[in-house]
Amino acid sequence: QVQLVESGGGLVQPGDSLTLSCTLSGDTIGDYAMGWFRQTPGKERLFVATISKDTTNSNYGDSVKGRFTISRDNAKNTVYLQMNSLKPVDTAVYYCAADRTYYGFSIETRQNEYEVWGQGTQVTVSS
C-alpha cells in the first residue's frame, strides 16, 4: 500500500520558519512529481508548491513565492517544504501529494491529478 506521511507541523510565531517533511512508503518517490497543498476550515484546498521527480522544475502559489521552498531527497523517499517568514494567513492543514508522471521534468498544480495523499499536518502561525 502506497502511503504518504507528513510531519513537522506545529505552532510558531509570525516571522518564524518551519520545515515540513513528507515520506512515501510502499513505492519509490522518484517515480512521482510531488506537491504540497493547504486547507483552512470551510475553504477549498489550495496549491502551495510542486517539484518534478528529477528536481529540475518547481512552481509555487503566488501567496508563498519567495518565502517557501520545496525540495526532495529521492534517496530518503522524502519531500520537504521549507517555510520562512511565516504569517498568520499561512495557518492551515498542509497536505503532501504524489503524482506519477512520465517525464522527469513534469510538475503539477492541479490537485485532481494527484493519486496519493497524506493525512495532513497542522501549521498554526500565531503570536
Side-chain angles (χ1 to χ4, degrees):
Q1 184 179 1
V2 181
Q3 288 186 321
L4 288 169
V5 178
E6 302 99 334
S7 61
L11 173 64
V12 297
Q13 294 187 338
D16 284 354
S17 297
L18 195 64
T19 300
L20 305 181
S21 301
C22 174
T23 299
L24 181 74
S25 62
D27 207 342
T28 302
I29 203 170
D31 290 337
Y32 296 89
M34 299 298 296
W36 286 95
F37 295 78
R38 67 186 184 186
Q39 188 173 26
T40 54
K43 296 188 177 180
E44 64 177 332
R45 190 160 54 188
L46 298 176
F47 166 73
V48 174
T50 179
I51 186 168
S52 61
K53 59 185 183 182
D54 67 2
T55 75
T56 61
N57 202 5
S58 62
N59 196 12
Y60 297 88
D62 288 341
S63 62
V64 306
K65 282 181 181 177
R67 299 189 298 123
F68 289 12
T69 302
I70 188 171
S71 62
R72 63 192 295 159
D73 186 339
N74 288 347
K76 294 183 178 180
N77 250 23
T78 300
V79 64
Y80 306 95
L81 186 68
Q82 171 70 41
M83 305 184 292
N84 298 328
S85 303
L86 282 161
K87 306 173 182 180
V89 295
D90 295 317
T91 296
V93 176
Y94 284 73
Y95 298 90
C96 71
D99 173 31
R100 184 179 291 275
T101 58
Y102 181 79
Y103 295 107
F105 56 80
S106 295
I107 55 174
E108 183 57 67
T109 62
R110 298 168 296 178
Q111 58 181 301
N112 290 341
E113 296 299 312
Y114 285 83
E115 296 99 358
V116 186
W117 288 85
Q119 82 289 348
T121 186
Q122 176 70 47
V123 173
T124 303
V125 185
S126 176
S127 55

